[in-house]
Amino acid sequence: MSAEPVFEWPLPPPGGFTAEDLDRIPDLPPHTELIDGSLVVVSPQRVFHTLAVDLLLHGLRRMAPKGLRVRREMSVILGPRQRPEPDLLVVQAGAETSPDQTAYLADAVELVVEVVSPDSEERDRERKPQLYAQAGIRHFWRVEDSSGGKIALYVYELDPATRTYALTGIYHDRVKLAFPFEIDLDLTEIDQL
């Protein structure tokens, strides 16, 4: 019987890791995030998570104007010790500088979307929105499983005076918005994926 290889976690430097460190740490599990200078590993995702991301990804790509790009699972540099990886983000087309790029700067991001999972509830509902708002990202969506695989989409807009998000709507069947661009999505299509 052979022993399973054990992953050896890198020891953080004094003050924690930085956004730049994330690209240099060898053998990190996929989708490792940096929150408050600490590494956060994403657990395996549920089917609801995958379906919700796919529905929104394809819908937003169909509707995004030419100057915007919709990306999944790319990290955003929010500050020296903050580099979360939202499930989806909408970025300005000019923010893409290389096919080897691993992150975007916050000022190029128009929208971030987090699909809440059981292991990330606090991060997705509290800490990450707080970080996105402090970095000045204007639009934030939180997606929850409202019951048995049905989407509940919480839409927030940044209050620039307080650098916090204000809830502008909760959507279950269809979302129609004018910002960050014209959006009309049938959320019930998740049942057909």
Side-chain angles (χ1 to χ4, degrees), residues 38-116:
S38 297
L39 300 175
V40 177
V41 178
V42 177
S43 67
Q45 297 301 324
R46 298 179 309 142
V47 169
F48 171 80
H49 187 280
T50 299
L51 295 177
V53 169
D54 285 349
L55 177 70
L56 296 174
L57 173 73
H58 297 296
L60 290 172
R61 279 190 176 157
R62 277 194 324 267
M63 292 174 235
K66 285 187 179 190
L68 298 177
R69 302 289 183 263
V70 181
R71 298 295 181 248
R72 76 181 295 160
E73 300 165 342
M74 289 287 293
S75 60
V76 180
I77 299 171
L78 304 177
R81 295 169 18 113
Q82 312 294 351
R83 190 169 158 188
E85 183 180 298
D87 292 306
L88 290 174
L89 58 160
V90 177
V91 297
Q92 298 163 7
E96 294 192 339
T97 57
S98 159
D100 297 325
Q101 186 171 344
T102 59
Y104 298 102
L105 297 176
D107 62 356
V109 178
E110 299 293 327
L111 166 68
V112 290
V113 180
E114 293 289 355
V115 179
V116 177

